[in-house]
């Protein structure tokens, strides 16, 4: 377990959920992580960047709204599935011990009903995208269900998460242009390497607990060599985001923002410390800035 001086519990009970939602709603809001939107932002921002890149400017309002709702819903579905699968592990992990299923605030049956309701609402969004994108959306569903199980048999669950988390980037292109060009695939691959990087930092928060429970992660794979691996993934991200910018003819502003992202990555790596799990959690959250810079760079690189 982590140091007794470090509170890694990821639920804060004195928050807006506690103050503004009915008591019966609160466990479901926490189950789908409405109280912790960082994951939604990390799913949504690369998708928004892809919408801008595919449109070569500001995307249509309806498409923008549909993809925002899709990111929110699929991230929520993924969290619900994750907590259902990990309910017996979470009680032994300091960060997750107070989650609704683990702490008995809702039953397993209630969680499954909520999951099916989420999937039903997400399925309604299929009516607002083209047929190519619908097939891509269907292909995503198995990945969302498989990810929570990956930590049981592979040290690379972050890879599966990165593929699923950023799938909306490919759908943004397919729905906008009815094709997914090589440049879009490279951008998506860059988002996957970025996610492996920042989610590895996140995984260091749970590394000792995961090892005791027999679970696996990239943090347990890399151990003391984590910084070296993180450098590799972040360098790959910059390359995989820069080359498509050239292929798509983005202007100089895009590369200025790529330089800003590289500087942000440098700061993360310079301050990363395996022995400080609380700081690893803070670095994970700081990647929202990476997503914002990517969106800003996509706007600047296409509009001017």
């Amino acid at each position: 377990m982590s140091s007794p001086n470090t509170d890694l519990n990821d639920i804060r009970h004195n928050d807006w959920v506690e103050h503004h939602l009915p008591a019966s709603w609160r466990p479901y809001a926490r189950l789908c992580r409405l109280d912790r939107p960082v994951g939604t932002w990390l799913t949504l921002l690369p998708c928004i960047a892809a919408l801008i890149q595919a449109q070569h400017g500001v995307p249509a309002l309806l498409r923008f709204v549909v993809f925002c709702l899709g990111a929110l819903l699929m991230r929520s579905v993924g969290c619900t599935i994750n907590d259902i699968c990990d309910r017996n592990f979470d009680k032994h992990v300091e960060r997750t011990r107070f989650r609704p299923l683990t702490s008995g605030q809702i039953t397993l049956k209630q969680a499954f009903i909520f999951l099916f309701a989420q999937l039903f609402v997400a399925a309604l969004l299929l009516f607002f995208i083209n047929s190519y994108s619908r097939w891509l959306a269907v292909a995503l569903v198995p990945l969302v269900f498989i990810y929570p199980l990956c930590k049981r048999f592979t040290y690379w669950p972050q890879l599966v998460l990165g593929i699923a988390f950023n799938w909306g980037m490919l759908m943004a292109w397919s729905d906008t242009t009815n094709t997914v060009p090589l440049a879009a695939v490279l951008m998506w691959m860059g988002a996957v390497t970025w996610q492996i990087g920042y989610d590895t930092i996140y995984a260091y928060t749970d590394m000792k607990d995961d090892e005791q429970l027999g679970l696996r992660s990239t943090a347990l794979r890399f151990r003391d060599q984590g910084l070296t691996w993180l450098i590799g993934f972040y360098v790959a991200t910059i390359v995989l985001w820069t080359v498509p910018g050239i292929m798509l003819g983005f202007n100089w502003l895009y590369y200025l923002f790529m330089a800003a992202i590289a500087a942000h990555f440098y700061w993360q790596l310079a301050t990363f410390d395996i022995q400080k799990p609380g700081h690893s959690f803070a670095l994970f959250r700081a990647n929202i800035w990476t997503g914002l810079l990517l969106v800003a760079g996509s706007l600047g690189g296409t509009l001017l």
Side-chain angles (χ1 to χ4, degrees), residues 2-3 6 8 201-202 204-208 270-284:
S2 303
S3 167
T6 305
L8 299 178
I201 292 174
Y202 189 41
Y204 274 101
T205 304
D206 297 335
M207 187 170 70
K208 292 182 180 179
T271 59
F272 172 67
D273 188 341
I274 294 173
Q275 304 304 321
K276 296 180 180 178
H279 184 58
S280 293
F281 194 34
L283 289 177
F284 163 76

Side-chain angles (χ1 to χ4, degrees), residues 63 130-133 171-181:
R63 182 174 290 120
N130 64 20
S131 59
Y132 189 169
S133 303
M171 292 178 60
W173 275 90
S174 66
D175 195 59
T176 304
T177 67
N178 207 38
T179 185
V180 182

Side-chain angles (χ1 to χ4, degrees), residues 19-151:
H19 291 293
H20 299 295
L21 291 184
S24 60
W25 292 17
R26 293 170 196 164
Y28 298 100
R30 299 196 190 282
L31 181 64
C32 66
R33 311 288 198 274
L34 287 183
D35 58 330
R36 284 153 288 161
V38 58
T40 299
W41 284 114
L42 290 171
T43 305
L44 177 59
L45 290 171
C47 188
I48 293 175
L51 284 170
I52 294 167
Q53 293 166 8
Q55 187 67 44
H56 216 77
V58 178
L61 179 60
L62 177 60
R63 182 174 290 120
F64 178 81
V65 171
V66 168
F67 275 80
C68 285
L69 290 174
L72 173 64
L73 284 166
M74 290 313 297
R75 188 258 177 164
S76 298
V77 166
C79 291
T80 302
I81 295 170
N82 185 78
D83 281 14
I84 289 173
C85 292
D86 287 355
R87 63 191 184 280
N88 294 323
F89 291 111
D90 284 346
K91 65 183 68 175
H92 303 291
V93 178
E94 184 173 352
R95 183 175 57 82
T96 60
R97 66 194 187 279
F98 294 124
R99 287 183 175 175
L101 261 174
T102 297
S103 58
Q105 298 173 53
I106 58 174
T107 65
L108 182 60
K109 179 181 178 181
Q110 289 172 322
F112 270 114
I113 293 173
F114 182 59
L115 171 62
F116 289 125
Q118 288 174 289
L119 288 170
F120 174 76
V121 176
L124 295 178
L125 296 178
L126 296 177
F127 291 103
F128 298 95
I129 57 178
N130 64 20
S131 59
Y132 189 169
S133 303
R134 289 188 198 118
W135 284 112
L136 284 176
V138 171
L140 170 62
V141 174
L143 291 174
V144 174
F145 277 85
I146 289 170
Y147 162 69
L149 304 176
C150 290
K151 64 188 75 172

